[in-house]
Amino acid sequence: MLCLSGLAAADVQAELTEEQVNALQALGHQRPVEDWPELSAAQARALKEKAERYLADCQKYHQPFGLSADILFSGYDRAKVEKYEGIGDSATWTGHYLAALAFRYAVTADTNTIADIRRALDAYEVLARVTGLAGYMARFAGPADDPAYQRYYSVYGKGADPNRPGYGTSAYPGKGKYTNLVWLGNSSRDVYIGVNLGLATVHRLVPDAKIRAQVKGLVELILRQLMGEGWLIKDGQGHTTVCTPTLIATLLRTGATVNPRRYQSLYDEKARPVLIGSGGGICKYCDYFPNNLLYAMIYVLATLEADPAKKPYYEAHLRRMWLQSSDHLNPYFAALYLSAGGEDVDGAARATVQGVLSDFPSPPRWSEKTENSRRRELELVQMGGKQWAKYALPIRERVPSDFIWQRSPFQLDGSGDAPLAYPGIDLVLPYWMGRQCGVIPTGEETTGAKP
């Protein structure tokens, strides 16, 4: 675990140059950028310091019981936690956090990161067993008597349950040795996509025998439960979600990696409709989060696949997705594409990763009321009964949120003024992905720019 004190006083912001700002604006307006001004050594160092500070900040404030959470504080001094927020998506974002740790370890070989990975995997062990349905992944689990958690789970679902005082309609007491915990149910596909992203990436990048054994155990536990339910996500409390063919293939691709003898032939069978299908696309002026889920699934398929008959399809699918979103100024999508070996012919992906992450605000990241619709200079479009910015907004002008890359960069308004802080994994994950695939310089060398 990182120490926050050594980073708190650091200057973690190095402003983009005018040329870099203009280049990002051109990308967002679908204009070609002939020559991206590479990060200077000072900019690269500042970006690294910012990523490390966000990770330390996340581990100090945003990991209750080892799981990711937005935090509502009593004030901006972060002295007291009032309520955990966003924890209905905690299992999903913990998977993204795990992936970030895996990339960081692949770059640094830091032993503290191994310990952090083990803590996150141990939290997943709880989620996989707390319900009494071994392998069903709860959305979150924590002590029933934790006041900040009580304020959340007491109304989780469709409000308070009149038949179970103190519980929301989708919150339940733990089973077996977990009776002191309350877990959140009604898990859907996004939970399994996020969990699988984390487990698959850790197994691929962290060659630690104990960690790989634990990942293997979790992957097989999840698969046995889903296969036993006919690929339905069922929490035993009346909630059911159907796994899509792409999700089934993605989960089995991870299974075939950790245990090929058991899962390879089934994966080959279930991957067939995905390989012959047209595949999903990336929407623009829309409810944006499915884009993030699709990227996560195709990325796992592309990076774990070794079969030369399948791998090019997944890589081509990822390239189509990137071309559809290259004007979104989304550095996470760009990093996923590059990390999977995508060819950056026009340099747009590299510019997006370096430029947008460098411009990402320093921590802490607070909720803030945003009203871009009042800005007369913005070009707007009407789509689906809603107004959007015609072009992707710069990162500093967007509505702050939990994992900002799952929110539309064309969204105008949202959020509110409150001491609600977000974890910052949306900076840490694409940063270490970019470092691992050589897109982001360390700051110890230059990449064409002056120090």
Side-chain angles (χ1 to χ4, degrees), residues 113-249:
T113 302
I114 289 288
D116 293 337
I117 290 170
R118 286 176 177 152
R119 277 188 285 269
L121 291 175
D122 288 345
Y124 268 176
E125 297 280 3
V126 174
L127 294 189
R129 292 174 170 83
V130 65
T131 70
L133 301 172
Y136 171 84
M137 293 302 292
R139 289 180 174 272
F140 186 86
D145 59 358
D146 184 284
Y149 184 34
Q150 284 178 324
R151 296 184 184 104
Y152 191 91
Y153 76 70
S154 62
V155 293
Y156 179 73
K158 296 180 179 179
D161 188 336
N163 299 316
R164 299 182 303 129
Y167 291 91
T169 58
S170 295
Y172 310 97
K175 298 291 183 68
K177 67 178 183 179
Y178 301 110
T179 54
N180 64 316
L181 303 183
V182 171
W183 58 275
L184 305 182
N186 197 15
S187 292
S188 54
R189 290 183 289 269
D190 60 314
V191 169
Y192 286 77
I193 292 168
V195 169
N196 187 66
L197 173 67
L199 295 178
T201 307
V202 167
H203 192 276
R204 179 169 64 89
L205 296 178
V206 183
D208 179 278
K210 289 184 178 179
I211 283 178
R212 283 191 168 178
Q214 188 171 12
V215 168
K216 178 177 181 291
L218 281 165
V219 168
E220 296 201 76
L221 192 66
I222 292 167
L223 284 173
R224 283 196 296 271
Q225 201 275 337
L226 285 174
M227 291 165 64
E229 296 288 0
W231 297 106
L232 298 176
I233 302 169
K234 300 172 70 173
D235 67 358
Q237 305 293 332
H239 304 109
T240 300
T241 300
V242 178
C243 290
T244 64
T246 303
L247 176 55
I248 293 170

Side-chain angles (χ1 to χ4, degrees), residues 72-410:
L72 179 66
F73 292 97
S74 58
Y76 290 98
D77 60 358
R78 298 190 283 185
K80 180 183 177 184
V81 175
E82 291 291 335
K83 184 183 179 184
Y84 305 132
E85 291 284 11
I87 51 177
D89 292 324
S90 181
T92 302
W93 302 132
T94 301
H96 288 65
Y97 168 73
L98 255 178
L101 294 177
F103 281 107
R104 186 176 188 274
Y105 180 78
V107 174
T108 66
D110 175 41
T111 55
N112 289 329
T113 302
I114 289 288
D116 293 337
I117 290 170
R118 286 176 177 152
R119 277 188 285 269
L121 291 175
D122 288 345
Y124 268 176
E125 297 280 3
V126 174
L127 294 189
R129 292 174 170 83
V130 65
T131 70
L133 301 172
Y136 171 84
M137 293 302 292
R139 289 180 174 272
F140 186 86
D145 59 358
D146 184 284
Y149 184 34
Q150 284 178 324
R151 296 184 184 104
Y152 191 91
Y153 76 70
S154 62
V155 293
Y156 179 73
K158 296 180 179 179
D161 188 336
N163 299 316
R164 299 182 303 129
Y167 291 91
T169 58
S170 295
Y172 310 97
K175 298 291 183 68
K177 67 178 183 179
Y178 301 110
T179 54
N180 64 316
L181 303 183
V182 171
W183 58 275
L184 305 182
N186 197 15
S187 292
S188 54
R189 290 183 289 269
D190 60 314
V191 169
Y192 286 77
I193 292 168
V195 169
N196 187 66
L197 173 67
L199 295 178
T201 307
V202 167
H203 192 276
R204 179 169 64 89
L205 296 178
V206 183
D208 179 278
K210 289 184 178 179
I211 283 178
R212 283 191 168 178
Q214 188 171 12
V215 168
K216 178 177 181 291
L218 281 165
V219 168
E220 296 201 76
L221 192 66
I222 292 167
L223 284 173
R224 283 196 296 271
Q225 201 275 337
L226 285 174
M227 291 165 64
E229 296 288 0
W231 297 106
L232 298 176
I233 302 169
K234 300 172 70 173
D235 67 358
Q237 305 293 332
H239 304 109
T240 300
T241 300
V242 178
C243 290
T244 64
T246 303
L247 176 55
I248 293 170
T250 305
L251 294 170
L252 283 170
R253 176 60 271 172
T254 306
T257 297
V258 303
N259 189 342
R261 185 164 55 180
R262 177 172 292 179
Y263 297 107
Q264 184 66 50
S265 61
L266 183 58
Y267 161 69
D268 290 337
E269 173 193 333
K270 296 297 186 180
R272 197 168 298 122
V274 179
L275 291 165
I276 64 177
S278 58
I282 301 299
C283 65
K284 192 169 187 177
Y285 309 115
C286 60
D287 199 0
Y288 199 80
F289 76 91
N291 295 336
N292 185 61
L293 300 178
L294 181 60
Y295 257 104
M297 288 189 289
I298 302 302
Y299 176 78
V300 169
L301 289 167
T303 52
L304 293 188
E305 187 58 67
D307 185 345
K310 296 187 182 74
K311 191 176 183 69
Y313 169 84
Y314 299 139
E315 291 176 333
H317 192 171
L318 202 58
R319 177 168 177 76
R320 288 194 301 272
M321 290 161 58
W322 166 245
L323 291 175
Q324 292 169 351
S325 56
S326 61
D327 65 328
H328 293 199
L329 297 182
N330 190 320
Y332 178 49
F333 292 176
L336 285 164
Y337 170 64
L338 293 171
S339 174
E343 188 178 2
D344 193 20
V345 176
D346 57 3
R350 186 180 185 91
T352 300
V353 173
Q354 289 190 8
V356 180
L357 293 185
S358 292
D359 204 34
F360 198 96
S362 298
R365 186 83 158 126
W366 297 104
S367 173
E368 182 179 356
K369 187 176 182 180
T370 307
E371 295 180 311
N372 285 306
S373 58
R374 296 175 178 267
R375 296 169 55 190
R376 295 185 177 181
E377 80 278 10
L378 285 180
E379 291 187 65
L380 307 179
V381 295
Q382 193 81 17
M383 190 69 66
K386 184 178 178 180
Q387 273 194 329
W388 307 84
K390 183 176 181 180
Y391 302 110
L393 294 167
I395 185 62
R396 291 170 173 272
E397 298 175 11
R398 297 183 202 176
V399 179
S401 69
D402 45 8
F403 190 80
I404 202 164
W405 316 126
Q406 72 154 349
R407 308 297 180 190
S408 175
F410 310 96

